[in-house]
Amino acid sequence: MEKRGARLFQLGGGSGEINWNIVELESRRQLRQKVNELIRLSYDSTLTTSEMQQQLLQGVAMFGNQLATRLVRSLQSDDQLKRQHIVWLLTLLDDKETIPLLQRMSQNERLSRAVRLSASLALAGMGATAESTAHYQRKRLYAIG
């Protein structure tokens, strides 16, 4: 009988390859499940915005910035309604670390136009577009009559 040891629980193996142990794989699976759960919850019209934000904060507490990164990657879905819900989740989360990812995605012409638009909408919702930042930088003048 062969002795396999910990190699049984690892993928890859040579130099330069990424080695994943079973704990890392399980953590990634849990992250995917949490993101899918958040997306599923976003379809629930009885859930309030504050309740959804609470769910997002719980996810961030468990997974840190990986949650937001996974949400951004999930924008690459073919399902238009799913993308709309992900944009809403990203807007609610308002994680500034996702801005560079969303900007690259919105400018990546290899992605479908719908995915690029969704990334742009998420940026606009977070106030991270050139138009929205210019709008906030302008001084507002009010006439009192």
Side-chain angles (χ1 to χ4, degrees):
M1 195 185 303
E2 289 183 43
K3 288 187 177 182
R4 294 185 187 205
R7 288 182 15 184
L8 178 65
F9 300 110
Q10 294 180 340
L11 299 176
S15 62
E17 292 183 27
I18 298 174
N19 290 323
W20 300 100
N21 67 33
I22 196 77
V23 175
E24 290 171 317
L25 291 173
E26 180 65 18
S27 174
R28 289 184 181 269
R29 186 182 67 78
Q30 289 173 349
L31 174 61
R32 272 193 317 276
Q33 286 178 334
K34 183 62 176 177
V35 168
N36 289 332
E37 176 190 349
L38 289 168
I39 294 168
R40 184 181 46 75
L41 285 172
S42 72
Y43 284 84
D44 183 357
S45 60
T46 63
L47 204 64
T48 67
T49 300
S50 60
E51 290 171 333
M52 193 68 231
Q53 283 178 317
Q54 186 65 31
Q55 290 292 323
L56 284 165
L57 291 175
Q58 288 175 357
V60 169
M62 287 176 60
F63 299 103
N65 63 354
Q66 291 178 342
L67 181 82
T69 301
R70 186 69 191 182
L71 275 170
V72 170
R73 287 185 185 146
S74 296
L75 274 178
Q76 297 183 40
S77 170
D78 292 332
D79 183 351
Q80 177 185 358
L81 188 58
K82 182 178 179 180
R83 282 194 312 273
Q84 286 177 351
H85 285 268
I86 295 167
V87 166
W88 181 59
L89 291 171
L90 286 167
T91 303
L92 285 178
L93 187 57
D94 199 22
D95 184 346
K96 301 305 179 197
E97 291 183 21
T98 61
I99 292 172
L101 298 171
L102 289 166
Q103 287 172 334
R104 281 194 300 270
M105 186 177 276
S106 70
Q107 296 168 359
N108 186 348
E109 293 187 10
R110 289 182 282 167
L111 297 174
S112 71
R113 185 174 184 270
V115 170
R116 293 192 320 257
L117 178 61
S118 294
S120 295
L121 287 171
L123 286 166
M126 295 166 58
T129 61
E131 295 80 8
S132 61
T133 54
H135 175 72
Y136 290 118
Q137 290 174 352
R138 281 190 241 142
K139 289 185 180 179
R140 296 184 184 193
L141 302 175
Y142 296 97
I144 300 175

